[in-house]
Amino acid sequence: MPRKERIIEIETLRGIAFAAVVLQHSIAHYSLVPQAGLQDGVVLAILLMLAKFAVPLFIFITGMVLFYNTGESFHYGSFMRKRVMDVIVPYVVWSLLYFMLTPQNWTGFGWQQIPDLGLKLITGKMASHFWYIIMLIQFYLFFPLFLRVVRYVFHRYQAKGQMIALLLSGGLFLILANQLRSIAAWMERLQIPVLTDAFTTYADRNFIYFFFYFVLGAAAGLSVQRWKEWVVRLHWIYWLVFMTLGLRFIYLLMLEFQKPEGIQIRFYTVSLIRPDMILFLVASIMVMYQLASKLQHSSALYWLGWIGGMSYGGYLMHMLVLRYSYIPDEWFYAAWGWNPVVRMIVTWITALLVSCVLTWLISRLKWGKWIVGAVPKHTQASKVIKPASN
């Protein structure tokens, strides 16, 4: 890929997205603690909706960076070789580590369990957050197809035609999400090897149900200046959608919490694959991009950029770090009578920092790249140059 000027917002957005991922998983744990009451559930629901953009934003960033950096000469072999070294190998390493650190996996384990181990590796079932890695790998595998189609539209049509194509792909995306259950039932009847499972058991990691965020990133990457203009021009629309649907989801969660047997803080209502959630998430991506664009504080830019640089290794390990971050919570925070929300925030910040620092330390090792992927040696936000107008 030809080297281009880095887009400063991407550095910032990666850091924000990773912090939001760790926040979501911290919320999931503390929603189940016995001390959490309705008032805690309300705060956790608000924080969850503010962080819900994390995975779609990561997909958007991936699409934007790939299309921004890919030149006219594209070599699929070189492209996939880099993804194998930077993404897949660290994923396999951490998958095996999670397996070894889970005692129940060793109970009765023998050679006959090797196929099941391989299946878990291929489907991302080794840890709860690895579904995203499997979905991301699919985008890499099918990137030449996305590249051909998106570039065809971009070169064949002017700005108006490109916008219509983007809106049509968004409409198709909403239809797919709305028909999720019908598609699953249809594929269940067909019983096609691999494909049936992709649309039923593993639908939550099927890249087709996330493709629009990638295409939106592609549109932004191919015309960065125009994307920024639209972010400015449409700000009142996406902020309205973000606020309205965000409040609606918080209200729906409040209803979900209230069970006949008492208050149960659960978040099943806010699944990523539903049409209204998709509208909220697209608006969230634009909100986050606008906020990142307006951020001028050099220290905030530096540290968010640094966190973004550690995000892949941090993502791989953060659930393990969270697992050990709950130990001081059980020993001290709960005993001291801290509020569950306060305990959650302390644990979130601890896990975020530890994940990033461990990633940085491992990346200094000779074989660190094979464990945490490619990590920037230096992140100096103040020296990043914004791209010139296209």
Side-chain angles (χ1 to χ4, degrees):
M1 291 184 183
R3 187 173 292 274
K4 291 186 177 182
E5 296 172 336
R6 289 189 298 171
I7 306 172
I8 190 171
E9 294 86 358
I10 295 300
E11 307 288 339
T12 305
L13 287 170
R14 275 203 187 98
I16 294 172
F18 179 54
V21 165
V22 183
L23 176 58
Q24 286 188 59
H25 292 146
S26 302
I27 290 171
H29 174 80
Y30 283 93
S31 67
L32 301 175
V33 299
Q35 299 85 356
L38 180 59
Q39 69 278 10
D40 302 305
V42 173
V43 177
L44 294 177
I46 294 171
L47 292 174
L48 177 65
M49 294 313 302
L50 290 175
K52 200 68 178 174
F53 63 84
V55 166
L57 181 57
F58 267 132
I59 301 170
F60 169 86
I61 291 171
T62 301
M64 186 173 186
V65 170
L66 287 179
F67 276 84
Y68 177 70
N69 285 327
T70 302
E72 291 301 321
S73 178
F74 173 72
H75 301 283
Y76 186 58
S78 301
F79 173 83
M80 283 306 301
R81 192 179 306 115
K82 179 173 174 56
R83 270 68 212 172
V84 168
M85 292 188 296
D86 293 349
V87 177
I88 297 177
V89 170
Y91 161 70
V92 173
V93 170
W94 282 96
S95 292
L96 296 177
L97 184 60
Y98 276 87
F99 179 83
M100 290 187 291
L101 293 177
T102 305
Q104 55 266 34
N105 287 335
W106 291 95
T107 305
F109 182 81
W111 291 108
Q112 65 275 15
Q113 272 74 48
I114 293 295
D116 183 59
L117 179 64
L119 180 63
K120 287 182 177 179
L121 201 60
I122 293 171
T123 58
K125 287 286 189 178
M126 208 71 78
S128 61
H129 61 306
F130 283 167
W131 69 272
Y132 167 72
I133 308 298
I134 298 304
M135 187 259 297
L136 181 65
I137 292 171
Q138 294 171 65
F139 280 114
Y140 291 145
L141 290 173
F142 290 97
F143 179 60
L145 177 61
F146 280 102
L147 188 64
R148 180 180 293 272
V149 173
V150 173
R151 277 186 172 173
Y152 172 81
V153 172
F154 189 80
H155 294 305
R156 176 69 174 79
Y157 300 100
Q158 297 299 319
K160 184 177 180 180
Q162 295 168 17
M163 179 60 70
I164 291 173
L166 185 63
L167 292 174
L168 288 175
S169 65
L172 174 62
F173 189 52
L174 291 172
I175 292 171
L176 284 172
N178 188 54
Q179 297 300 314
L180 176 68
R181 295 182 183 278
S182 299
I183 294 172
W186 181 58
M187 293 300 294
E188 191 70 47
R189 289 194 297 270
L190 292 177
Q191 283 300 311
I192 303 173
V194 180
L195 278 180
T196 292
D197 287 337
F199 287 91
T200 54
T201 307
Y202 305 110
D204 62 338
R205 61 209 66 198
N206 186 334
F207 79 106
I208 291 176
Y209 290 119
F210 296 89
F211 85 88
F212 183 70
Y213 308 117
F214 190 77
V215 171
L216 186 64
L222 286 173
S223 186
V224 177
Q225 191 58 39
R226 189 186 304 161
W227 163 256
K228 291 183 177 182
E229 290 171 359
W230 279 106
V231 167
V232 173
R233 189 180 304 177
L234 299 177
H235 71 277
W236 64 273
I237 296 178
Y238 59 74
W239 270 102
L240 180 63
V241 173
F242 175 75
M243 296 295 293
T244 303
L245 289 181
L247 291 172
R248 177 176 179 270
F249 280 118
I250 292 170
Y251 171 73
L252 292 176
L253 286 173
M254 297 304 99
L255 296 179
E256 184 181 358
F257 293 166
Q258 301 175 50
K259 305 292 184 182
E261 57 272 23
I263 298 297
Q264 293 185 5
I265 302 175
R266 301 291 185 272
F267 301 113
Y268 303 126
T269 297
V270 291
S271 165
L272 289 176
I273 311 175
R274 49 181 290 174
D276 49 356
M277 177 57 73
I278 289 170
L279 293 174
F280 173 75
L281 293 173
V282 171
S284 299
I285 289 173
M286 300 188 76
V287 165
M288 292 302 127
Y289 201 99
Q290 185 199 39
L291 294 177
S293 300
K294 289 182 175 295
L295 185 61
Q296 300 296 327
H297 194 281
S298 58
S299 294
L301 289 172
Y302 177 86
W303 287 112
L304 284 173
W306 183 79
I307 292 172
M310 307 299 131
S311 60
Y312 186 62
Y315 184 88
L316 291 171
M317 71 174 69
H318 82 276
M319 289 297 280
L320 188 60
V321 174
L322 276 172
R323 185 187 303 178
Y324 292 103
S325 298
Y326 299 141
I327 295 175
D329 174 74
E330 295 169 357
W331 287 0
F332 305 111
Y333 310 158
W336 293 341
W338 285 10
N339 178 273
V341 174
V342 175
R343 292 159 54 190
M344 184 277 295
I345 292 174
V346 172
T347 301
W348 164 51
I349 294 174
T350 301
L352 177 63
L353 293 178
V354 171
S355 297
C356 289
V357 170
L358 284 177
T359 298
W360 183 83
L361 290 173
I362 293 172
S363 72
R364 306 301 99 177
L365 301 175
K366 184 178 180 180
W367 299 103
K369 181 179 179 179
W370 301 100
I371 303 173
V372 295
V375 171
K377 297 298 180 184
H378 300 284
T379 303
Q380 185 61 49
S382 60
K383 295 183 180 178
V384 176
I385 303 173
K386 293 187 179 182
S389 301
N390 289 349

